[in-house]
């Protein structure tokens, strides 16, 4: 009976650890495959807008937007 409890405790710890590792990997993949490309496209558009004199405020706004997409908060 004690052995059953020990096995259940070990399984619980193992599943808890796997759950948190899987969440961290999914978060990293979302950042790498979704946020980073959107940010890079936004920054490329910002550079293009900053090259023209009249669109410099829009370019600066796009740089800030890309930074907020990449690192929210």
């Amino acid at each position: 009976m004690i052995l059953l409890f020990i096995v259940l405790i070990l399984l619980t710890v193992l599943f808890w650890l796997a759950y948190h590792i899987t969440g961290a990997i999914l978060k990293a993949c979302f950042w790498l495959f979704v946020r980073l490309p959107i940010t890079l496209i936004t920054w490329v558009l910002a550079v293009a807008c900053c090259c023209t004199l009249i669109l410099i405020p829009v370019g600066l706004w796009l740089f800030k937007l890309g930074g907020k997409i990449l690192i929210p908060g």
Side-chain angles (χ1 to χ4, degrees):
M1 191 71 166
I2 300 266
L3 183 63
L4 178 67
F5 287 132
I6 292 173
V7 169
L8 287 176
I9 289 171
L10 288 175
L11 279 174
T12 303
V13 169
L14 179 69
F15 284 135
W16 176 81
L17 186 63
Y19 173 77
H20 286 285
I21 289 173
T22 304
I25 290 172
L26 286 174
K27 186 176 181 179
C29 287
F30 178 76
W31 185 87
L32 183 64
F33 296 120
V34 176
R35 282 190 177 172
L36 189 61
I38 291 173
T39 300
L40 292 176
I41 291 169
T42 306
W43 283 346
V44 167
L45 288 173
V47 169
C49 286
C50 283
C51 289
T52 62
L53 187 60
I54 198 163
L55 291 177
I56 289 176
V58 175
L60 293 176
W61 180 77
L62 285 172
F63 273 123
K64 290 178 187 176
L65 179 66
K68 287 182 182 179
I69 291 172
L70 190 61
I71 304 172

